[in-house]
């Protein structure tokens, strides 16, 4: 149980294009989903928190117009990196928590490379 | 806001020895403390967690202790094996009844178990 999938696992795109990453909870309903960014050999940095049906809450310093988050259903959240630039290259990981639960489960991550 | 400090940043032990990783947190309202193991390029995996109403929890070779007064918690791995080699992250969170709250991660500890 408590499986979170993420797609794609890796993506290479040209500078200026937009990239969408999907995060799905496969066997539970995720009231809350989180998006993290991780640089090599560093910890996970929370970008935003999203609750199903409401606007995402972004962490300080994260541009909400650049990182668009949608949590349209209890099993799906998407992160769209708009007008990507090389400095957006990173490992993006989503996680999900079920309603009333404490534990948070992570997706396998998406490696984004912007050329 | 919450701040989590993790030590040491790297830890090398001989196979069969014990490993201890320590974390301190700043917000006394934090009530849930998970530990994650992350292998290179993979997702963080929840290995053990503890709630603030418990002082210690054990699962086979892994144990976590919590000292609420001192605001620190530790991960203990006994009889270490080479496959325990990974990066370990502690985290702290305040989980409210409405399922809100966000994990704040420590900086990570790279554990190397030498055969």
């Amino acid at each position: 149980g408590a499986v979170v999938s993420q797609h794609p696992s890796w993506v290479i795109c040209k500078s200026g294009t937009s990239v969408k990453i999907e995060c799905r909870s496969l066997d539970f309903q995720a009231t809350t989903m989180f998006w993290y960014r991780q640089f090599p050999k560093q910890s996970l940095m929370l970008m935003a928190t999203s609750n199903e049906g409401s606007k995402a809450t972004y962490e300080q310093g994260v541009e909400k117009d650049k990182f668009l988050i949608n949590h349209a259903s209890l099993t799906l959240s998407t992160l769209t990196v708009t007008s990507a630039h090389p400095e957006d290259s990173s490992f993006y990981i989503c996680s999900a928590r079920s309603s009333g639960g404490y534990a948070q489960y992570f997706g396998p991550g998406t490696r984004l490379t912007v050329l | 806001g919450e701040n989590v400090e993790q030590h040491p940043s790297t830890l090398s032990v001989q196979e069969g020895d014990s490993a201890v990783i320590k974390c301190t947190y700043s917000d006394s309202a934090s009530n849930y403390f998970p530990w994650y193991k992350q292998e290179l390029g993979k997702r963080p995996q929840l290995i053990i967690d503890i709630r603030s109403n418990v002082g210690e929890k054990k699962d086979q070779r892994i144990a976590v202790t919590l000292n609420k007064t001192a605001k620190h918690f530790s991960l203990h791995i006994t009889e270490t094996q080479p496959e325990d080699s990974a990066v370990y992250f502690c985290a702290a969170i305040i989980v409210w009844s409405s399922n809100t709250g966000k994990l704040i991660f420590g900086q990570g500890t790279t554990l190397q178990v030498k055969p």
Side-chain angles (χ1 to χ4, degrees), chain A residues 16-28:
Chain A
T17 60
S18 294
V19 174
K20 179 184 283 189
I21 303 170
E22 290 188 350
C23 177
R24 294 181 184 272
S25 57
L26 299 185
D27 53 1
F28 67 100

Side-chain angles (χ1 to χ4, degrees), chain A residues 40-53:
Chain A
K41 298 186 178 181
Q42 293 190 22
S43 187
L44 295 95
M45 183 191 77
L46 179 65
M47 298 175 66
T49 302
S50 71
N51 290 294
E52 185 264 339

Side-chain angles (χ1 to χ4, degrees), chain A residues 4 38 43 59 97 104 106-107, chain B residues 36 38 43 93 101-102 106:
Chain A
V4 178
Q38 187 176 35
S43 187
E59 294 299 302
R97 184 194 303 148
Q104 198 168 313
F106 284 83
Chain B
Y36 289 86
Q38 187 180 29
R43 78 182 81 198
I93 186 174
K102 55 187 181 183

Side-chain angles (χ1 to χ4, degrees), chain B residues 80-99:
Chain B
T80 54
Q81 301 166 3
E83 51 264 38
D84 293 329
S85 297
V87 179
Y88 291 81
F89 292 100
C90 65
I93 186 174
I94 305 169
V95 179
W96 300 292
S97 59
S98 59
N99 195 38

Side-chain angles (χ1 to χ4, degrees), chain B residues 35-52:
Chain B
W35 285 88
Y36 289 86
K37 174 184 180 182
Q38 187 180 29
E39 297 177 3
L40 189 62
K42 297 188 177 181
R43 78 182 81 198
Q45 289 191 310
L46 179 65
I47 56 172
I48 196 167
D49 56 11
I50 191 168
R51 297 189 188 183
S52 58

Side-chain angles (χ1 to χ4, degrees), chain A residues 25-101:
Chain A
S25 57
L26 299 185
D27 53 1
F28 67 100
Q29 293 187 325
T31 307
T32 309
M33 287 186 166
F34 306 86
W35 287 95
Y36 293 84
R37 184 173 180 176
Q38 187 176 35
F39 291 105
K41 298 186 178 181
Q42 293 190 22
S43 187
L44 295 95
M45 183 191 77
L46 179 65
M47 298 175 66
T49 302
S50 71
N51 290 294
E52 185 264 339
S54 61
K55 290 184 178 180
T57 301
Y58 290 82
E59 294 299 302
Q60 191 173 9
V62 178
E63 299 176 61
K64 61 180 181 180
D65 294 330
K66 182 168 186 59
F67 299 99
L68 301 178
I69 292 171
N70 184 280
H71 192 162
S73 75
L74 287 172
T75 59
L76 173 64
S77 177
T78 60
L79 167 68
T80 302
V81 183
T82 62
S83 186
H85 292 284
E87 57 265 29
D88 298 324
S89 298
S90 190
F91 192 51
Y92 292 88
I93 313 178
C94 70
S95 70
R97 184 194 303 148
S98 63
S99 176

